[in-house]
Structures are given as structure tokens and as C-alpha cells.
């Protein structure tokens, strides 16, 4: 039993009493999970974060106590003192199922209105009701277990990084707005009218400054903010397990990162993760899995069949080839499980990834194909051979003059088919590093090259001479840790040279003046002796999701926001007092006015 | 030596090599503290966060390496490989002073411009320059030691609270604005135009909700924000070590709090703090020391001499008595150290605490007094006796019909005199609890009673019947941990009953509608079974200051703000892109426009 070190009236948690404690006088505190009134007998299941124990009241119970027990309703808060005894009819499911407390004294510490839903695992409540009554939703054992696991993970991080000489140093939350990618949350300054702070999207610049300051090894469990339109796997505020180290190369950072994830898996799930983790270049990941976060727990790899159709007359394939490719995946053995209608639906679905359509061949008893009739027989045969086609298989092909479309469509289709046909081996986690990311990606919206990781990432020295002439071919020293097909973390070696940093910002389209205005303090710091350094960060919410197999990111956060960024429980954001806005020298331009 | 677990080229930190390592080939990395060129000999002091080691270059050194060493300037970043040897002329001050590295290979990893100040302990630089070049200021060993201590304290907190069953749970930073006391920082919502988030002044409401959710024991190292005009001991963003626990009374919270501070003193300073800590009621602290955060490391207690002058004709004293008091302190034995002019200056100084003036008697060889001539001889004598006056003493009296003015003036004067005459025994820290704070204090500005702690504090049940009729006499179950005259932390038992919470908000002047609009989510949660709960929080910056004896709070923060709230290094706050404001549906009302 937990020994409460203080003078608490409570003897232990509800989930702890066992047969060996029979005969002890205990005081237990908790919430009424349910009260059963059998006339001469009353049983109350008392719940706290550790579990449930049965309180028993019968003829021998003091009348006043018995009556109090009679009045108890769900979610009342009780303190019960009594003698632990062995149960006559045991409950094999409950860890405390062999015992019950014969109550001698009972205090009702708080009453409760009837809650809007029962406090049970997996209770069937709408998400909106759960979030509106989050304080009740969090009483459910599954929610409590998630937040306890989250605590274990952060404790793991504090211990691991401290043991390895990392200092936890807090970086500011009220910083300068330097958006590059996502939108900043802004905070109006009261003292400097017309000026604003921003909330940090990450501690990136500050942790680099700490390396320049000589702290050598930094870590932080850092709150970050991004004002983006939310998806199911985004929260406007989220947490990173963040570290940075000096005098290192990529391998050093990876070794520290692997050590941490190894410890988390061991401490939390008692799973041994062998290290070093497998590594795969970004190019290989894209070519084989159509994804920079490949899920290697199943096969169904991409086949490049461009060569098979390089001289084809079929326009759909032919027109893709100059700049792009024709690639496909083979869903083996499920031809009879996929109707023509379902295939058509998948064809519509991949269009959301930019594909013009999905070409397919279904090798059921009756072979059908959307494209073979347009090809020469030897072309169709070559594709089948290249894709290892056998009776029972379904072949899916995507053709595009933009390889990113081919990768995205087939990468998503591969995962969707694996989920649908249960092809994923969930018996053990699959971790790997994806390395050698491209330094830049071209943004059609912005009409310029953007940093794929961020503008402070070190380019591969071998590619430096092409920084201006062929940015698309420049690799960076950036790496992602991929777990079960999710990007759990990522990082890079950083630029530690002012001139190279200036050149990088120029390649990204910043004029020297603009670079100075935005990042002047970093450029300035780099002049005074910056050590080689690098680091990485994990998304804590993502890590909790991947480790515990949770689908909804909101379940990993105590008080999450919904997709509109609102907090349904407290009704935030909300209007404020006009004086508050006057103090900040701002006015709202509400459409409603 | 630290064993670097990864494939770092570095063998150990600069501060680690010892005589026992002589003969080993080591690679050391760091910054040039100074380079001494003696013609045939060059010495470089290489610095990292652990200390300094000497690199030696002489005739036997490879010519190219020797030349590189010749070009090294202060703050260059180097990696040096060589053989450790015993020094011929040892340096007894440096822990590595018995050895030096005979360098065989040298890499200049980064050059440095001449820094604006030398990287030395206690270097004499203006605060503004230090903050503008914070990345260099943080290289100074004293700054590094402070942030290392800060890391140790937070690690202590994580360990201690985890060991005691507390879960670290993150509460949101984007919350509803519910200002009560200080001003909120606001964050405009892009999605809900005209609405705002606020940054939290503390996690108070959320940690109470976590107790209502049954998490039982919560802790967090929580970032808090207050948009107040800054003093030397305030930062707009600061950090609390925050905890909350359920099914407890005041003693339980205090025991947990004492255990933590005991561990911090032991781990950080190897000082044993005996527990339980001394306790003193707020009333006793005010009566004896004129302060709710009394420094007990010296005496000079307040004497209430009202009775001695209760029938006096002297108007200054007489007029104070109906509602107030006449009190004094005795500066023993320093009559000859304090000139008439200095006493007059002190008289002016206490006026900033609301006193109309300072009455005094100086028992030097020649006795002088500002007030005795206005009193009857027996009154003057009674005061001398009550204050234990002896030759050589100086008596200071303050009279006011408002006791808070008497306390504030004499409390401040007592500390000022103790500092000036070195009366403080700094040999060991003095910790105590101040308890039984008043629930309310009257705000003349607001014309209403305000919560002294916060509106969620449990009033003393004995005083509940006077909540409406005589709020000034109601005590709360609130407690502060005072260390060396500073409020290091504080907390309270909270109200866990909806009706009492409503009553409290009403007593504070909230209409039921206003209470519901602001704190509806808490009031709602309290209806569904809230356990008795309480907690406390320490200001982390304050704790670092008290533990390390630091005067300037900014020295405890890696990247602090100055009094105007600006960050001199990054130039935040700053103007932002007009599109950013348009996205947020706000406009600035700058005076400059």
C-alpha cells in the first residue's frame, strides 16, 4: 500500500486493500461509483484514481451510518472508516475483489448532482458532452490512465536527459514574431503600443542561442503554439520534448534520441527496443513506401513501372513520364474482397492526394483492368511481372508528371489498404530513422523554395555548391524518428556559421535587410563563436498516441481545444472588457459590428 | 570524467582532466578564454561549462598547428587533440591546474569577432549591454552556475513530487480571461473574431478542476504571465512550482511543502532544514515584525506603546489611537552611528509607506528626541520602558489611525536598519510558515473587499458567520512559506462547495450572473462532487534568488525581460506584418498614427 507520508486521515488508496490487510482499520476516500440498496444490505463501490473497493453496510452497522449510506448517490464524495474483512462472494475481476470495508463511520464530504454521463471506461458519450464536462470525463479510468502515462513519459525525459548531462533551461514564451511556415499567435504589448509579442512555435532559436552560450546540453518540455486550422491530430498549443547538444554530428544526436525512446518503451510498456534503430534515406522511403514516415509493419511496397511503359501510346502513362513516373502497389490475395464499386471509391479518394485517377487490375477468377486494354500486351505483361502479380492480387497504379503526387497517393493508399485488410503486424512497434531529407521543397502557393525542416538546418556539405543553382537537389542533415508510420520526432544538425546562415536565408528569398530584421539576434550571435550543434524534438501528444495506440490527440491532453480552437468547458476564447482592449491600444474589427 | 555515451569526438569536458589522466590522448572542445603568445610558446586557456584547461604549444608542436594556435583569439571555438602531461608550473587555483594538453591536432570550429565584454565572473558591464548580448553574458561562469542550480531545483521538484505520488499534468496556456487582481495578457482569436484568449496568471482553476477530476495529487512547473508594471523582482512571464492535493487539511499540504524545501536545501546546498518548520499567525507576524514575511534572522521587534500614551495630549499620538496605534522599534546600540541628518532621511523614507512621519529618540551621550518634549514625563518614561531603552539605543515610533500603515512603515524600517547595520545572521537560512491570513483586504481604489489570497480560498469555518457582516475579521486557511524575509511560496485550502463559493464571490462584489460568466465552469464542476483539496506554489525565480543569494531576478532567467517588458536581445515586442493583424480582426490604435 502507498504510505501517505503526511497526517492524512486516509489510510491508503481505494484500489490497494488486499486479503493480507483483513482485520485492519482503514479510512478510505473517494467517489461513489455505484450504490446498491438490497434492503438490509447496502453496498457502495468507492472509486479513486487507483481503482475501486467495496464498502459494506448491514444490520450490524450503526443506524445513522446506514441511513447515510442509503442517501448516497453516484459521484458523492465519501470518507469511510471501518474494518477490512474478507468477502463472502468474491469478485475475481476487481484487484480488491477479495475484501470489503465493514463501515463504522461515514462522512459525506460532498454531494453530487446526477452527472450527465456515467463515469466508466469507454462510455458512449458524444465528444461535445465529454469536452463540455471535461472535469467529469477525466474521472474515467481510461482518461486517468492516459494522463498517468503522459506523466511517466515526461518523468522519463527528465531523468534520462539529466542522467546524460542535459540541463533543463526554460526559454521565453513572449518572443518576437518570426513566422516562417505556420501562423504565430500574437500578444499585444500594453507598454509599447502598436507592437506585439508572439508565442513560440518552437524553442528553436533560443535553444541554438543556449548552445552558443556554452550550455553544451539543453533539454526542455516546451509548450509550443501554432495558429493553424486544426485537424484531428493538431492542437493550437502542444508540447515538445526538446533537446539540443554541442560539438556533435548527426550520429551523436541519434544515439541520445534512441536512448530516450528505448527507456520510454521499457519503463512504460516493458518493451525492449533494439538500438541502433534502422535507418533509411528519405529517397528510399519515398521510393519504396511513398512516404517520409513509412510504416514498415507491413509490405506492399511501391513498384516503379515507368520503364515498362516508357514507349507506350497510352496517354495517361505516357504524359506522366517526362518529369514524373508510373508506380504501383500490389494488394496481394484480396481480389475477391474488393468490389468494382469499392475500387472506384478508392479511385475518387486518391484524387484528394492530387492523383488524376487510379489505374487498376483485379486478378480475380475473372480478370478485369482499367488500363491493360490501352497498353500493348508486352507492356501489360511487363507491369504484371514488375509488380509480382499473381492470381488473387489487385494492382493499383498512379501516373503523374509530379512524383510527389505519385508518392502521396500510393503512400496513402498503401496505408488505407493495410488498415482495411488488417495487414499490420501490431505485435511489436516499428521504429526507424528517416535521414537525408531534401533541404528545400518548392511551394507553389508562395512561388518560392521553402525550408522543408527549417531555415537553420545544415545542408549536406556535399551538396553545398548547388544551394543556389539547383536547390531541389540539396540534401539536409535532418532526420525524423518514425514510429509505426507516424513522425514521432525529428531534428537536424544546425548551421553554426554566419555566412552560411546568411546564404541559406538568401536562398529562401530573404533580402539581407529582412533576414537581419527577423533573425538579427541569431545572425549576430553566430559571429561570436558558435559550436557545431544539433538536436531534435518529439511531439509529446504524438508520442502518447503512438505508445498507447490512441486515435484522438485530444485524449492525450487534460484540457484540449476542439477543431475551432475553442475550449468547450470554459468557453474560451471569449469577449473581454473594453478597458482591457483600450489598455492594449487595440480595437476589434469584428464582422458583427 | 564524464563518459560521453555517444560517438562524440570529445573525450571529456575541459574542467575534468587531472594528474591521474596524464599520458592519455584526449580531445577537448571549447572556447578560447585567452591566448598567451610567448614567442616560442603559446598557451591557450580553453573553457566550457565545466571549467578551464590549458592547451600548450611549443617547439615540438607541428608547425601548422602552432600557427593555428597563433591565430586564435578570444571566444574562438576549438577542438584540440593531444596528450595530457603534468605542468611544470602548476596553477593551484584551477582544478585542472596540475596538467596541460600537449596539442597534436587543432581544429578551429568557429571564429569570433571581438566580444563587447570579457567572459568573466562578475565582469563590470552595464546591464543593458549584458542583456543585449545575453548569449555572451550567459557564457560567464556565474550565470552558468545559476542556471545549473535552477535546473537542479526543478529536477528536485520532479523527483520529489513523483516519489510522493504526484502526477505532472499540463494545464492550458490559452485560457479564458478572468482577471481578478493583476492584468491578463490577451491573445486575439483568429477564428472567433472579437474574442480573445488570455495567458494564465496561475494554473489555479485548472488544478482545482484536476482535483475534482480525481487525480488526487497534481504538480506542474507552470509558466505564468502577468501584464503588470515591472519591478526589479517581477518578470512578465515567470515560473511556479505548483502542486495540489485532495482529501487534505492544511497540515498535510504543509508537510509536503516542507519535505520539498528540505530536499532542495539538502541537494543544492547540503544544508539540513529541520522540520516541521516554525509557524506564526499573520497577526503575530504583523504585531511583532510589521510584515507578513518576517525575517527572523534578527530581532528589533515592534513594540506597541499605544497604552503608554492612551491619555496623551500630544495630538500626533492621540489622533492615531481610536482606530490605529503607536508602535516602535529599538535600534540597540547604534545611537552614535546614526546622525540627525540620517534620521531625518529615514523619516522621509517611511513616508513612502504611508506614515506621516517618524518620531524618534536618540540615546547618545546627549539625549535628543523628536517627541518627548510633547509628552508628559511619565508617558515618555513608559515608552522608554516598554521599548527596553538603554543608553546607546535609537527609538523609532510611527503613529497612524491605520494599522496597516504602522506595520508597513516599521516593518520596512526594521529591515532597512538591519541591512544598514549588518544585523542579519546569514550563517543559516530562516524558514517559517505564516498562517491565518485575513480572507479579505479592503481596496480603497476599488472601493470593495478583495480576496487577499484568491477568491477560491477556504475561509476559517469559525469565522464563516461574519463573512457578510464583518469581512475584515474573517481569517482564511491560507499559508505562506517565508524564507529569509521573502515570500518564497504560498497556498491555501480551497472551497470545495458550490454554495460557499457562490457566497464568497458575492462577498467580493460579484453578481450571480457575473460570477457565472467568469467562473461558471468552476461553479459547475463543484456541483458534481468536489473533494476537500488544497495546495501551494513557489515562485521558481524567487526560490533561486533566495537559495543562491541573488539580488536581481533577471539573473535567474536565461532570457529575461527588462522593466519595460522588452527583450533587448531579440527586440521583442515588435511591429508585425499588417496581414497578421488583419487575420486576427484587430487594428492598433497607436498614438503614433
Amino acid at each position: 500500500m502507498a504510505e501517505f507520508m503526511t497526517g492524512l486521515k486516509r489510510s491508503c488508496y481505494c484500489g490497494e486493500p488486499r486479503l493480507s490487510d483483513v482485520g485492519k482499520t482503514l479510512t478510505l476516500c473517494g467517489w461513489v461509483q455505484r450504490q446498491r440498496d438490497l434492503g438490509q444490505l447496502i453496498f457502495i463501490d468507492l472509486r479513486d484514481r487507483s481503482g475501486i473497493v467495496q464498502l459494506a453496510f448491514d444490520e450490524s452497522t450503526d443506524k445513522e451510518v446506514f441511513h447515510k449510506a442509503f442517501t448516497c448517490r453516484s459521484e458523492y464524495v465519501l470518507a469511510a472508516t471501518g474494518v477490512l474483512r474478507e468477502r463472502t462472494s468474491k469478485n475475481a475481476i476487481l484487484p480488491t475483489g477479495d475484501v470489503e470495508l465493514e463501515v463504522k463511520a461515514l462522512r459525506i464530504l460532498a454531494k453530487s448532482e446526477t452527472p450527465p454521463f456515467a463515469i466508466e471506461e469507454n462510455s458512449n458519450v458524444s465528444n461535445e458532452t465529454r469536452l463540455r464536462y471535461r472535469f467529469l470525463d477525466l474521472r474515467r479510468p481510461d482518461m486517468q490512465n492516459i494522463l498517468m502515462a503522459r506523466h511517466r513519459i515526461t518523468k522519463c525525459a527528465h531523468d534520462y536527459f539529466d542522467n546524460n548531462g542535459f540541463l533543463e533551461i526554460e526559454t521565453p514564451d513572449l518572443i518576437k514574431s518570426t513566422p516562417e511556415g505556420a501562423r504565430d499567435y500574437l500578444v499585444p504589448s500594453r507598454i509599447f503600443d502598436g507592437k506585439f509579442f508572439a508565442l513560440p512555435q518552437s524553442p528553436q532559436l533560443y535553444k541554438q542561442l543556449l548552445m552558443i552560450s556554452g550550455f553544451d546540453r539543453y533539454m526542455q518540455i516546451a509548450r509550443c503554439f501554432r495558429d493553424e486550422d486544426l485537424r484531428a491530430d493538431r492542437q493550437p498549443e502542444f508540447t515538445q520534448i526538446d533537446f539540443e547538444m554541442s560539438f556533435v554530428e548527426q550520429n551523436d544526436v541519434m544515439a541520445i534520441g534512441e536512448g530516450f525512446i528505448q527507456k520510454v518503451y521499457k519503463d512504460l510498456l516493458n518493451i525492449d527496443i533494439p538500438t541502433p534503430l534502422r535507418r533509411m534515406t528519405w529517397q528510399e522511403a519515398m521510393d519504396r513506401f511513398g512516404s517520409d514516415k513509412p510504416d514498415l509493419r507491413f509490405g506492399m511496397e511501391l513498384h516503379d513501372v515507368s520503364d515498362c511503359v516508357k514507349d507506350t501510346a497510352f496517354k495517361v502513362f505516357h504524359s506522366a513520364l517526362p518529369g514524373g513516373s508510373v508506380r504501383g502497389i500490389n494488394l496481394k490475395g484480396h481480389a475477391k474482397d474488393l468490389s468494382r464499386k469499392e475500387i472506384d471509391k478508392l479511385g475518387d479518394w486518391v484524387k484528394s492526394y492530387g492523383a488524376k485517377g487510379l489505374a487498376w487490375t483485379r486478378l480475380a477468377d475473372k480478370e478485369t483492368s482499367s488500363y491493360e486494354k490501352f497498353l500493348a500486351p508486352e507492356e501489360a505483361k511487363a507491369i504484371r511481372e514488375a509488380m509480382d502479380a499473381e492470381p488473387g492480387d489487385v494492382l493499383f497504379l498512379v501516373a503523374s508528371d509530379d512524383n510527389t503526387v505519385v508518392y502521396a497517393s500510393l503512400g496513402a493508399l498503401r496505408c488505407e489498404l493495410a488498415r482495411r485488410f488488417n495487414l499490420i503486424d501490431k505485435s511489436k512497434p516499428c521504429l526507424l530513422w528517416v535521414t537525408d531529407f531534401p533541404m528545400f521543397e518548392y511551394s507553389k502557393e508562395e512561388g518560392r523554395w521553402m525550408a522543408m525542416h527549417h531555415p537553420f538546418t545544415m545542408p549536406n556539405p556535399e551538396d553545398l555548391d548547388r544551394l543556389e543553382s539547383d536547390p531541389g537537389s540539396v540534401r539536409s542533415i535532418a532526420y525524423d524518428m518514425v514510429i509505426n508510420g507516424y513522425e514521432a520526432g525529428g531534428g537536424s544538425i544546425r548551421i553554426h556559421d554566419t555566412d552560411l546562415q546568411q546564404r541559406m536565408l538568401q536562398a529562401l528569398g530573404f533580402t539581407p535587410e529582412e533576414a537581419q530584421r527577423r533573425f538579427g539576434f541569431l545572425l549576430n550571435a553566430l559571429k561570436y563563436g558558435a559550436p557545431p550543434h544539433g538536436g531534435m524534438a518529439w511531439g509529446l501528444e504524438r508520442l502518447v498516441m503512438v505508445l498507447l495506440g490512441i486515435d484522438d490527440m485530444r485524449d492525450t491532453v487534460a484540457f484540449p481545444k476542439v477543431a475551432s480552437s475553442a475550449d468547450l468547458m470554459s468557453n474560451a476564447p471569449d469577449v473581454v472588457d473594453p478597458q482591457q482592449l483600450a489598455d492594449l491600444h487595440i480595437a476589434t474589427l469584428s464582422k458583427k459590428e
Side-chain angles (χ1 to χ4, degrees), chain A:
Chain A
M1 289 193 211
E3 297 242 349
F4 287 101
M5 63 165 279
T6 64
L8 291 172
K9 283 160 254 46
R10 202 165 32 164
S11 316
C12 64
Y13 282 119
C14 293
E16 294 179 315
R18 294 287 181 276
L19 262 186
S20 56
D21 302 310
V22 162
K24 288 184 186 164
T25 295
L26 299 178
T27 295
L28 301 171
C29 297
W31 284 259
V32 174
Q33 178 70 30
R34 94 183 153 136
Q35 185 252 39
R36 277 168 302 152
D37 175 8
L38 311 177
Q40 306 296 64
L41 285 175
I42 296 175
F43 294 110
I44 290 177
D45 285 348
L46 195 68
R47 185 196 70 236
D48 67 16
R49 79 179 199 194
S50 73
I52 282 177
V53 70
Q54 179 164 290
L55 310 181
F57 307 82
D58 55 30
E59 314 86 59
S60 69
T61 307
D62 172 86
K63 280 222 166 79
E64 201 186 330
V65 170
F66 192 89
H67 181 70
K68 259 194 221 168
F70 175 76
T71 67
C72 285
R73 296 288 165 265
S74 286
E75 303 307 316
Y76 274 33
V77 184
L78 307 181
T81 303
V83 178
L84 199 73
R85 70 183 178 200
E86 188 168 358
R87 277 209 214 180
T88 46
S89 85
K90 296 184 179 170
N91 179 334
I93 296 161
L94 226 51
T96 65
D98 291 344
V99 295
E100 63 188 7
L101 196 72
E102 188 186 347
V103 178
K104 304 292 186 193
L106 184 68
R107 283 201 296 156
I108 296 176
L109 298 171
K111 295 184 178 185
S112 170
E113 294 188 3
T114 303
F117 50 85
I119 309 304
E120 290 168 356
E121 279 195 37
N122 308 310
S123 78
N124 187 19
V125 196
S126 79
N127 268 327
E128 190 182 322
T129 305
R130 284 182 56 197
L131 292 170
R132 207 170 282 287
Y133 291 90
R134 187 61 162 183
F135 45 86
L136 295 180
D137 189 39
L138 289 175
R139 284 187 191 163
R140 298 193 298 120
D142 36 4
M143 289 307 297
Q144 299 224 328
N145 289 334
I146 293 169
L147 290 186
M148 288 182 200
R150 184 173 167 135
H151 163 70
R152 275 274 60 81
I153 294 170
T154 55
K155 185 62 173 58
C156 244
H158 289 299
D159 291 342
Y160 174 80
F161 285 100
D162 181 57
N163 280 337
N164 283 287
F166 288 80
L167 304 170
E168 181 156 26
I169 301 177
E170 291 176 75
T171 55
D173 274 355
L174 295 172
I175 66 169
K176 187 185 169 87
S177 180
T178 58
E180 166 67 12
R183 218 182 265 109
D184 277 339
Y185 275 104
L186 296 184
V187 181
S189 165
R190 180 175 55 86
I191 296 168
F192 296 92
D193 57 353
K195 295 192 173 184
F196 294 80
F197 293 103
L199 300 177
Q201 297 191 24
S202 87
Q204 185 60 36
L205 293 180
Y206 284 95
K207 69 176 182 167
Q208 291 192 235
L209 289 169
L210 289 171
M211 294 302 100
I212 295 171
S213 292
F215 283 99
D216 203 71
R217 292 182 166 208
Y218 141 98
M219 76 83 66
Q220 191 180 194
I221 312 280
R223 193 73 60 90
C224 306
F225 304 84
R226 282 183 202 171
D227 187 9
E228 291 299 299
D229 294 317
L230 303 184
R231 303 190 311 239
D233 63 345
R234 288 268 181 86
Q235 283 284 313
E237 49 178 321
F238 57 97
T239 301
Q240 284 185 353
I241 300 176
D242 191 42
F243 76 90
E244 192 79 7
M245 50 201 299
S246 293
F247 301 109
V248 293
E249 295 178 340
Q250 170 173 289
N251 284 345
D252 305 314
V253 180
M254 285 178 165
I256 289 288
E258 289 172 350
F260 170 63
I261 206 72
Q262 195 173 44
K263 178 175 162 67
V264 167
Y265 266 99
K266 188 66 186 174
D267 288 5
L268 203 73
L269 303 171
N270 197 25
I271 291 175
D272 291 302
I273 301 290
T275 57
L277 300 181
R278 177 172 178 176
R279 296 188 192 184
M280 189 179 286
T281 65
W282 180 87
Q283 193 60 57
E284 182 182 350
M286 298 307 281
D287 285 343
R288 290 179 55 193
F289 304 97
S291 172
D292 58 3
K293 36 184 188 287
D295 191 339
L296 308 188
R297 294 174 302 170
F298 62 97
M300 216 196 306
E301 297 190 16
L302 274 60
H303 301 272
D304 187 346
V305 297
S306 305
D307 271 356
C308 309
V309 293
K310 63 179 189 294
D311 302 315
T312 189
F314 181 39
K315 209 186 147 202
V316 171
F317 290 177
H318 181 76
S319 64
L321 288 184
S325 57
V326 182
R327 293 170 203 247
I329 56 177
N330 179 351
L331 174 66
K332 291 207 79 67
H334 283 284
K336 64 180 182 313
D337 306 320
L338 210 54
S339 70
R340 171 68 194 264
K341 202 173 154 188
E342 286 165 327
I343 292 177
D344 286 344
K345 269 195 184 164
L346 289 171
D348 287 339
W349 181 75
V350 297
K351 287 178 186 166
S352 65
Y353 293 89
K356 290 199 184 114
L358 195 58
W360 53 269
T361 296
R362 186 156 158 267
L363 301 172
D365 295 344
K366 182 168 172 278
E367 296 188 353
T368 46
S369 172
S370 73
Y371 60 84
E372 290 195 340
K373 55 183 174 264
F374 301 114
L375 300 181
E378 65 277 13
E379 288 170 344
K381 190 170 166 239
I383 288 177
R384 287 197 184 194
E385 275 171 13
M387 294 182 71
D388 186 27
E390 295 173 308
D393 295 355
V394 189
L395 311 182
F396 294 98
L397 300 182
V398 170
S400 172
D401 58 358
D402 180 351
N403 276 328
T404 63
V405 167
V406 178
Y407 290 140
S409 307
L410 289 175
L413 181 63
R414 174 179 172 269
C415 290
E416 172 58 26
L417 293 172
R419 262 191 300 274
R420 200 178 288 191
F421 294 104
N422 223 353
L423 305 181
I424 301 171
D425 172 11
K426 293 189 172 162
S427 68
K428 51 178 189 285
C430 176
L431 291 84
L432 76 153
W433 292 107
V434 174
T435 64
D436 296 87
F437 276 74
M439 183 69 222
F440 304 95
E441 58 187 339
Y442 193 77
S443 164
K444 285 173 192 162
E445 288 162 42
E446 304 241 345
R448 65 173 177 105
W449 290 97
M450 310 273 283
M452 188 177 263
H453 194 60
H454 57 56
F456 316 107
T457 301
M458 178 76 92
N460 191 316
E462 293 171 18
D463 304 344
L464 260 183
D465 54 342
R466 298 191 305 276
L467 197 61
E468 291 80 10
S469 59
D470 183 11
S473 76
V474 175
R475 292 163 299 165
S476 66
I477 309 186
Y479 32 83
D480 276 359
M481 184 186 282
V482 175
I483 307 182
N484 298 345
Y486 289 98
E487 181 203 327
S492 64
I493 297 297
R494 328 297 182 184
I495 295 169
H496 68 281
D497 176 84
T498 324
D499 294 336
L500 181 54
Q501 187 64 69
Q502 295 269 24
R503 209 177 135 196
M504 176 60 66
L505 289 171
Q506 206 158 358
L508 289 164
F510 290 93
T511 64
E513 295 71 33
E514 179 68 8
Q516 191 60 37
R517 199 183 66 77
R518 287 221 204 173
F519 307 111
F521 60 109
L522 177 70
L523 295 172
N524 194 24
L526 287 171
K527 289 178 193 160
Y528 293 98
H533 62 288
M536 70 174 287
W538 291 268
L540 177 53
E541 290 80 13
R542 168 68 64 206
L543 208 51
V544 176
M545 287 175 77
V546 171
L547 283 161
L548 303 187
I550 295 167
D551 293 323
D552 188 341
M553 181 172 280
R554 292 177 299 198
D555 286 344
T556 70
V557 179
F559 300 102
K561 307 287 196 291
V562 295
S564 69
S565 83
D567 172 2
L568 299 184
M569 183 186 69
S570 70
N571 192 31
D574 203 355
V575 293
V576 295
D577 195 276
Q579 186 57 46
Q580 290 180 276
L581 300 186
D583 285 349
L584 299 174
H585 329 288
I586 59 170
T588 60
L589 302 172
S590 172
K591 280 176 240 156
K592 289 160 219 137
E593 282 176 7

